[in-house]
Amino acid sequence: MSVMPFSGGWIEVVAGVMFSGKSEELMRRVRRAVIARKRVQVFKSHLDSRYAGLFAVSSHDGRSVEAIPVDSSAQVAQRIDPLAHVIAVDEAQFMDEGIVEVATSLASRGRRVIIAGLDTDFRGEPFGPMPRLMAIAEMVDKLHAICVLCGAPATRTQRLIDGIPAAWDSPTIMVGGREAYEARCRACHVVRPAHEAQREIFRAPDPGTRSNGA
Ligand code: ADP
Ligand code: ZN
């Protein structure tokens, strides 16, 4: 973002599918704020272990910023440095709705708030507080990845469990590790119907013993 058209505080959101470069973009903005000698704080959800320890931004004059892991919006509020000019939150889809109030309050007190997160969950539905954050933000950038099946711009996060598309009633946030994620376009994105997984579990090996096929 080369032009900052707003005086006082504001909220900017970097939204998009997995692998669309949200963390890269957040880091780029943070790095530039550090170069501009702004005091910057970065928060990230403890649920995201992919970048554990990797998110660190340092400038030539030796100032560095590391992401602070948090569980909740209350923890963000508690750990805000009152002297920070710029507050960034990565993986904001994992935050509770309280992050909307925290971001609003910071912006109204003159801070620049940068939020990055998944706009949609594995079903393609709005994810956590992201829709509200996108609605109240002054600026929203929606990034795309590349669909791994057809090469089109990817706007959906495909969840695979043991290589098979996850069912609709699979939990929104999985903390297990059996699942894998891919970037896909709308046409290539697959969500299996709810309960299909359970039906498979109860399917008996001998068709003669199946009760009603429901
Ligand atoms: P996000 O935070 O949105 O998940 P990251 O900033 O962590 O994204 O990662 C973006 C990087 O992921 C890209 O620069 C690219 O190198 C890599 N990448 C891996 N798979 C894909 C894909 N299917 N489409 C685009 N980039 C991909
Ligand atoms: Zn596709």
Side-chain angles (χ1 to χ4, degrees):
M1 195 66 52
S2 54
V3 180
M4 291 298 167
F6 305 104
S7 56
W10 68 87
I11 300 170
E12 53 198 83
V13 171
V14 181
V17 64
M18 262 171 99
F19 306 110
S20 63
K22 300 180 296 298
S23 293
E24 287 173 351
E25 177 60 19
L26 187 78
M27 232 185 284
R28 191 184 77 88
R29 294 183 190 187
V30 166
R31 194 176 300 118
R32 292 167 62 87
V34 171
I35 290 168
R37 300 188 180 281
K38 302 293 185 195
R39 202 174 173 110
V40 183
Q41 265 189 309
V42 181
F43 296 92
K44 55 166 275 180
S45 166
H46 83 289
L47 281 174
D48 179 50
S49 54
R50 285 180 308 156
Y51 306 106
L54 290 182
F55 195 117
V57 174
S58 56
S59 65
H60 289 119
D61 61 359
R63 281 144 51 96
S64 72
V65 183
E66 278 187 35
I68 303 165
V70 286
D71 290 327
S72 64
S73 62
Q75 285 188 3
V76 175
Q78 279 160 13
R79 301 185 69 175
I80 292 287
D81 174 356
L83 299 177
H85 305 104
V86 179
I87 291 97
V89 181
D90 200 6
E91 304 292 345
Q93 76 279 356
F94 291 142
M95 288 279 153
D96 52 277
E97 289 286 328
I99 196 66
V100 177
E101 175 56 34
V102 172
T104 302
S105 149
L106 287 167
S108 66
R109 286 184 280 129
R111 306 304 194 277
R112 175 185 175 194
V113 182
I114 311 173
I115 303 273
L118 290 168
D119 43 7
T120 56
D121 63 19
F122 77 95
R123 305 178 192 91
E125 294 289 313
F127 204 151
M130 288 299 290
R132 291 189 71 81
L133 290 165
M134 292 168 79
I136 64 167
E138 273 81 356
M139 284 176 279
V140 178
D141 287 285
K142 191 148 173 161
L143 307 184
H144 305 131
I146 303 300
C147 175
V148 298
L149 297 191
C150 76
T155 54
R156 299 285 185 280
T157 298
Q158 176 69 51
R159 177 186 283 169
L160 299 169
I161 300 178
D162 296 334
I164 297 166
W168 180 273
D169 54 348
S170 172
T172 302
I173 299 172
M174 274 186 91
V175 190
R178 275 172 68 222
E179 78 279 18
Y181 294 95
E182 287 178 356
R184 294 197 187 179
C185 70
R186 183 189 291 272
C188 295
H189 182 246
V190 179
V191 185
R192 291 193 303 145
H195 307 307
E196 194 172 295
Q198 283 87 332
R199 274 209 304 276
E200 279 171 13
I201 289 167
F202 293 117
R203 190 170 294 154
D206 173 7
T209 62
R210 286 173 68 175
S211 54
N212 56 15

